[in-house]
Amino acid sequence: MAKHKINFDDLEFYILKVLKKLKTDEEIYQYFVTYSCGYFKKKNSDWMDSLIKNKDQYIKNSLIIWDYLYCGLKEIPYEEDMIIEDSVIYDYLQEKLNSNIDK
């Protein structure tokens, strides 16, 4: 069976659709953990421990995981604390993070 590549914008559209249905920051984080384990074909999320700095900051951690996934999907090198300017997922998570800070 031939592999079909999905357009990156379409992928972001579907991920964003799922994110908007999730009710808590922890659910969003768990979605990214599950998605990234599937994408990188890992059996558990232990490998992410080096990326995650504070276990209680779910949205910030989701941003870190998205950065890592984004780099993998775009086949570019990962850089810590990078800012992704062309990602609706990054924008959504950043907006959510900012709204949590304002509370």
Side-chain angles (χ1 to χ4, degrees):
M1 180 172 11
K3 284 189 175 183
H4 297 283
K5 272 197 151 186
I6 188 167
N7 177 299
F8 189 78
D9 292 336
D10 292 342
L11 178 63
E12 278 200 311
F13 170 79
Y14 291 115
I15 292 172
L16 188 60
K17 205 171 180 177
V18 170
L19 291 178
K20 288 183 176 181
K21 291 181 181 180
L22 300 174
K23 296 186 181 2
T24 67
D25 293 351
E26 186 174 5
E27 288 176 326
I28 291 171
Y29 172 70
Q30 287 303 322
Y31 173 78
F32 278 107
V33 168
T34 302
Y35 188 91
S36 62
C37 286
Y39 175 78
F40 293 111
K41 296 175 178 58
K42 304 284 184 183
K43 301 238 185 285
N44 60 47
S45 59
D46 293 343
W47 63 276
M48 280 189 266
D49 287 344
S50 63
L51 296 175
I52 305 305
K53 296 185 179 27
N54 185 335
K55 298 279 185 212
D56 298 329
Q57 296 180 353
Y58 295 116
I59 297 299
K60 189 166 185 128
N61 294 337
S62 296
L63 268 165
I64 293 167
I65 295 169
W66 176 246
D67 289 349
Y68 198 72
L69 279 167
Y70 179 90
C71 291
L73 292 164
K74 291 281 195 166
E75 299 177 348
I76 58 175
Y78 172 77
E79 294 178 28
E80 193 171 324
D81 298 325
M82 66 188 306
I83 296 173
I84 302 172
E85 295 180 2
D86 63 342
S87 169
V88 294
I89 303 298
Y90 185 87
D91 294 343
Y92 176 80
L93 292 172
Q94 194 64 52
E95 184 178 305
K96 196 137 182 70
L97 180 65
N98 291 340
S99 71
N100 287 350
I101 291 171
D102 293 341
K103 290 181 183 177

